[in-house]
Amino acid sequence: MPELPEVETVRTMLDALIVDQIITGIWRDPDHPGAFVGPDGIDIEDVVRGRGITCIDRRGKYLIISLGDPWSVIAHLRMTGRLLVLPRSAAPVRFEHARIELANGNSVRYGDQRKFGGLRLATPEDVDALDERLGIEPLSSQFRAGNLMPLLARRPGPIKNALLDQGMIAGLGNIYADEALFRARIHPRQAARSLDESSVNRLIRTIRSVLRGAIRNRGTTFSSFENPYGESGANSRNLRVYGRKGEACLRCGQTLEGFRVAGRGTTWCPVCQPLVLNPEKVVD
DNA sequence: CATTACCTGCAA
DNA sequence: TTGCAGGTAATG
């Protein structure tokens, strides 16, 4: 499940592999044209053919591939999407639904077993709208208690729901939300508005370190994630709670528990992450 | 605000 | 055979 570190890994590698390349054509799977869409009435191939790829940015879990002038391609891998760079002559990747051919003989392949994600030809207005819809970048200088506390204070519900809200913090998913909460020793169902400043600062630090560590390991491959070279990420060995329900806590030995929070499978340690029922924190 | 739909492979 | 995996849009 690609989250911020996986998308950042893809971004870095695509930056090295396809920036400054010229697009010579595209292919779309007729059985799943939704894998590469554009504005109504626009022929995607007409727009992109002959254009160069100028830069590749990331916003939350989205990739923004700039094609110069007004156009860019926004990509989201959702659950099982993969972007690989292969020679044009190479066989289709598994579940290949779209392809971008490059003048140097390579091609970008979009594969997606579950067809949740895809590519979208986008205008600057689309990119601005995306930017405004998404919350704070957790690896930016904006991610600090002074900015996060007011958002949490006004939000009802568990802290885990808040962490997964892309409009609040952009890029966290189920894996890194659970990992950050464990390291910050905060119960996933702790009321978001009940966290005091020191807890929020602790959470900010653990989110940063969990994400940075995962980027160093080129992402977590739990099931299907692959980078543009077709390689798995090495971060699985750093996970302390995700996927370890029923196993011993690596810190205290207690059996890790699992339940659903925010509609997601959630794993936590009942000893290391106590629920604070009567926090002194007062919300005005 | 919370819940469901979208998909498909795989484990139980 | 059933249900779970989960990011996001749509719905209640």
Side-chain angles (χ1 to χ4, degrees), chain A residues 13-24 50-56 65-68 101-104:
Chain A
M13 293 179 174
L14 287 182
D15 195 71
L17 287 166
I18 68 171
V19 164
D20 293 336
Q21 294 302 319
I22 304 297
I23 296 173
T24 57
R51 283 181 181 272
I53 295 168
T54 60
C55 68
I56 304 184
I65 303 168
S66 295
L67 305 183
E101 308 285 1
L102 305 173
N104 70 348

Side-chain angles (χ1 to χ4, degrees), chain A residues 24-85:
Chain A
T24 57
I26 66 163
W27 171 84
R28 295 197 290 167
D29 179 359
D31 293 329
H32 182 48
F36 196 173
V37 299
D40 288 345
I42 295 288
D43 185 313
I44 298 172
E45 177 137 19
D46 278 354
V47 169
V48 304
R49 191 191 293 113
R51 283 181 181 272
I53 295 168
T54 60
C55 68
I56 304 184
D57 297 301
R58 179 191 56 74
R59 181 78 171 90
K61 300 171 193 170
Y62 292 82
L63 286 169
I64 302 166
I65 303 168
S66 295
L67 305 183
D69 297 326
W71 295 104
S72 51
V73 171
I74 297 174
H76 199 299
L77 305 177
R78 295 286 190 109
M79 302 297 301
T80 53
R82 296 183 301 164
L83 282 168
L84 287 97
V85 178

Side-chain angles (χ1 to χ4, degrees), chain A residues 14 46 122 135 167 210 216 219 261 267 279:
Chain A
L14 287 182
D46 278 354
V210 157
R216 274 197 300 277
V261 179
T267 307

Side-chain angles (χ1 to χ4, degrees), chain A residues 90-121:
Chain A
V93 300
R94 211 148 129 79
F95 310 113
E96 186 168 306
H97 299 304
R99 200 180 299 170
I100 298 173
E101 308 285 1
L102 305 173
N104 70 348
N106 280 340
S107 55
V108 180
R109 316 293 184 89
Y110 180 73
D112 193 344
Q113 178 210 129
R114 291 166 73 176
K115 305 178 183 173
F116 278 11
L119 315 176
R120 179 163 66 106
L121 183 65

Side-chain angles (χ1 to χ4, degrees), chain A residues 153-247:
Chain A
R154 119 166 59 95
R155 186 189 171 99
I159 182 62
K160 176 158 176 177
N161 299 51
L163 295 185
L164 292 175
D165 183 346
Q166 302 300 298
M168 181 167 301
I169 303 168
L172 283 183
N174 205 34
I175 295 174
Y176 300 110
D178 276 10
E179 291 298 310
L181 287 167
F182 172 77
R183 286 166 169 82
R185 305 201 184 198
I186 295 170
H187 193 289
R189 280 195 176 134
Q190 184 73 43
R193 61 203 314 171
S194 75
L195 296 181
D196 60 19
E197 188 165 359
S198 74
S199 298
V200 171
N201 275 315
R202 212 166 60 243
L203 187 54
I204 286 172
R205 280 195 297 274
T206 60
I207 288 171
R208 280 217 178 96
S209 79
V210 157
L211 295 178
R212 288 218 174 95
I215 290 171
R216 274 197 300 277
N217 286 321
R218 282 165 287 137
T220 298
T221 296
F222 204 77
S223 51
S224 65
F225 171 71
E226 280 183 358
N227 68 40
Y229 293 96
E231 303 161 333
S232 295
N235 197 59
S236 295
R237 59 185 154 83
N238 284 352
L239 301 183
R240 300 189 190 167
V241 287
Y242 182 85
R244 297 191 68 246
K245 173 178 149 185
E247 298 179 32

